[in-house]
Amino acid sequence: MIIKYFTDNDLYKFSVMYAIQRLYPWSYVKYEFINRGNNVFPAGFAQRLTEELTQMEKLKMTKKEKAFMEKKCYFFDPVFMDFLEGYRYDSGEVFVSQNEQGELSVVVEGYWYRTVLWEVPLMAIISELYFKMANASPSDVESRAVKKAKMLAEIQADYSEFGTRRRFSFDVQDRVVGCLKEHSKQFFKGTSNIYLAMKHDTTPIGTMPHEWFMYHGALYGYRAANIKALEAWVEVFGGSLGITLTDTYTTDSFFESFSLKQAKLFDGLRCDSGDPIEFIDKTLAFYKQNRIEAESKTIVFSDSLNLDVVKRIKKYVNNRLHDTYGIGTFFSNDVGVKPLNMVVKLTSVKSSPKTEFHQAVKLSDVLGKNTGNLKEIEICKMTLGLD
């Protein structure tokens, strides 16, 4: 059994689950696995994956996990925590198949408030199972992690570990988090993985996901998507979890709709695609235009980071705002193998099971990262006046 703990999942999945339950309890959705790297999966992979998903039905939150979340995740109410204690995965929500060429198909379908939890453990299982069936072994786990931790501390970069989805294995991620905490001291701010945050006595870290904006775009229109998504987030969290993504429908489009009220209320932004230097310039210009002190705001950089990229960004920021880094695969799967290039994305949504599906798309600030129906992507671009 690859996933052994209920909270072996990222904080952002629970935070968006909470928001969905509060505002959109009848919403019904589909997610799809997207194999960006075109990896060929070994014969029998789909069957093994299905068995792992069935095993997840045994998972339940322990009293220790609940107590940790109640202490650290102060933005969740007691009703939600009690709900999580009774939550059980239903593998019938996940449809897995594989053709003779080794292409893997995975579709998740059901009420959004339930299916939202599948994405991260599903990807973690696919990654770990892939390397297990390939008889791959990790190398230099601690030595590489310690070297990175010391260098990040040396350049005084605040950072968190975001590597659950594409990790080599749970064991590797566990060992890496331990090394980072020990050797970066105050510069290591936490991990996205709630169970590992509990185990290593650190902070669970998370922001809002692209799917939150994608849902609003699909149902309310692309011009209204950012405004509706941000206002809904504030309605639920009231200022907590105040780092917002900008690139669901491109950062340029985001800044056109980002109001002064929201800019003052949200603690900062997350740069998850595109040129980070350009992102910094656009952000500083926006805050200056709105007479907001940039030094009081944060940018979380989280796109394909390594030590050289972090150094370059940090040097350019030069204390003009608070920069922090969410580093994923570079930590959890830098062990001598080529990590899988994959995502699980929201593809269709409807406001209730009785209504019709609407296509959900994501544009990103990088062309190759666009996801969703091609025709719908073009409609989105045309609506927003994008090339």
Side-chain angles (χ1 to χ4, degrees):
M1 188 171 177
I2 290 174
I3 305 294
K4 298 182 176 68
Y5 311 102
F6 180 75
T7 54
D8 182 13
N9 203 333
D10 284 349
L11 172 63
Y12 80 91
K13 298 283 24 178
F14 292 100
S15 58
V16 76
M17 182 189 211
Y18 179 61
I20 294 162
Q21 289 190 354
R22 290 280 298 273
L23 300 180
Y24 311 117
W26 290 99
S27 293
Y28 194 90
V29 303
K30 287 183 183 179
Y31 295 87
E32 293 182 24
F33 169 73
I34 302 168
N35 183 8
R36 286 176 174 166
N38 296 315
N39 293 84
V40 175
F41 290 86
F45 188 90
Q47 181 180 345
R48 292 278 300 275
L49 175 57
T50 300
E51 291 169 357
E52 289 289 342
L53 299 178
T54 303
Q55 288 289 313
M56 286 184 65
E57 295 181 349
K58 301 176 183 178
L59 295 177
K60 59 182 179 179
M61 174 182 274
T62 64
K63 296 293 184 184
K64 183 179 179 181
E65 288 172 310
K66 185 180 182 183
F68 178 78
M69 286 188 69
E70 287 173 335
K71 177 182 177 182
K72 293 288 190 176
C73 306
Y74 53 86
F75 31 80
F76 294 149
D77 63 32
V79 176
F80 181 65
M81 293 308 304
D82 284 348
F83 167 79
L84 288 182
E85 194 172 23
Y87 178 90
R88 299 294 182 271
Y89 282 98
D90 178 3
S91 63
E93 296 167 338
V94 188
F95 306 89
V96 181
S97 63
Q98 181 180 12
N99 65 19
E100 293 180 356
Q101 287 73 44
E103 295 174 336
L104 182 68
S105 170
V106 184
V107 177
V108 181
E109 180 175 344
Y111 282 108
W112 192 21
Y113 82 87
R114 288 190 47 81
T115 54
V116 66
L117 280 195
W118 277 112
E119 175 194 356
V120 172
L122 177 59
M123 291 177 66
I125 292 171
I126 290 172
S127 182
E128 183 164 347
L129 185 58
Y130 177 83
F131 292 115
K132 270 188 176 181
M133 293 183 73
N135 294 315
S137 298
S139 62
D140 305 320
V141 174
E142 280 81 7
S143 60
R144 295 186 196 211
V146 169
K147 181 180 178 181
K148 293 169 189 175
K150 289 181 176 179
M151 290 187 71
L152 286 163
E154 187 178 322
I155 63 175
Q156 299 185 351
D158 291 339
Y159 73 95
S160 304
E161 188 275 332
F162 279 14
T164 305
R165 296 184 303 162
R166 300 182 188 93
R167 67 193 183 193
F168 180 88
S169 66
F170 172 83
D171 177 66
V172 165
Q173 188 184 16
D174 182 17
R175 290 155 67 187
V176 166
V177 170
C179 291
L180 298 177
K181 183 186 178 185
E182 180 180 355
H183 295 280
S184 284
K185 306 301 181 185
Q186 74 270 24
F187 296 104
F188 176 64
K189 299 301 181 183
T191 172
S192 60
N193 188 294
I194 295 179
Y195 182 82
L196 292 178
M198 180 180 71
K199 179 177 179 179
H200 294 279
D201 190 24
T202 187
T203 303
I205 302 287
T207 65
M208 68 176 72
H210 290 106
E211 67 182 285
W212 187 247
F213 295 91
M214 293 167 70
Y215 175 85
H216 289 86
L219 286 188
Y220 301 108
Y222 300 114
R223 286 196 181 99
N226 289 320
I227 299 169
K228 290 283 290 184
L230 292 176
E231 291 293 337
W233 195 259
V234 171
E235 182 180 344
V236 174
F237 292 105
S240 295
L241 297 175
I243 299 293
T244 176
L245 281 159
T246 66
D247 67 334
T248 308
Y249 302 114
T250 75
T251 293
D252 288 341
S253 175
F254 176 88
F255 278 131
E256 287 182 9
S257 59
F258 198 35
S259 69
L260 176 62
K261 181 184 82 172
Q262 292 166 342
K264 284 182 173 289
L265 181 59
F266 278 86
D267 299 320
L269 312 173
R270 178 173 158 205
C271 175
D272 195 51
S273 65
D275 185 335
I277 304 304
E278 289 183 12
F279 188 92
I280 294 164
D281 289 341
K282 290 175 181 178
T283 301
L284 290 171
F286 175 84
Y287 284 139
K288 183 178 181 180
Q289 180 183 348
N290 286 275
R291 297 175 297 281
I292 295 173
E293 291 185 5
E295 295 91 340
S296 68
K297 298 297 183 178
T298 296
I299 297 181
V300 179
F301 297 92
S302 59
D303 181 35
S304 304
L305 297 180
N306 58 41
L307 293 174
D308 290 335
V309 174
V310 172
K311 286 179 185 177
R312 181 166 66 94
I313 295 172
K314 186 155 191 67
K315 182 178 180 181
Y316 190 77
V317 170
N318 194 27
N319 297 317
R320 290 179 289 173
L321 42 74
H322 177 227
D323 53 309
T324 185
Y325 305 86
I327 305 176
T329 311
F330 181 62
F331 281 150
S332 66
N333 204 345
D334 180 24
V335 292
V337 301
K338 184 179 179 181
L340 297 182
N341 184 3
M342 59 174 176
V343 292
V344 170
K345 286 295 180 186
L346 193 69
T347 56
S348 306
V349 308
K350 48 185 175 179
S351 56
S352 76
K354 297 179 181 179
T355 58
E356 292 185 359
F357 272 120
H358 297 270
Q359 297 287 338
V361 300
K362 171 179 172 285
L363 296 190
S364 174
D365 286 329
V366 176
L367 182 63
K369 278 194 167 184
N370 291 349
T371 57
N373 179 275
L374 294 179
K375 183 178 179 181
E376 189 66 26
I377 288 173
E378 290 307 312
I379 292 173
C380 178
K381 288 181 178 179
M382 185 170 60
T383 302
L384 297 174
L386 302 171
D387 295 329

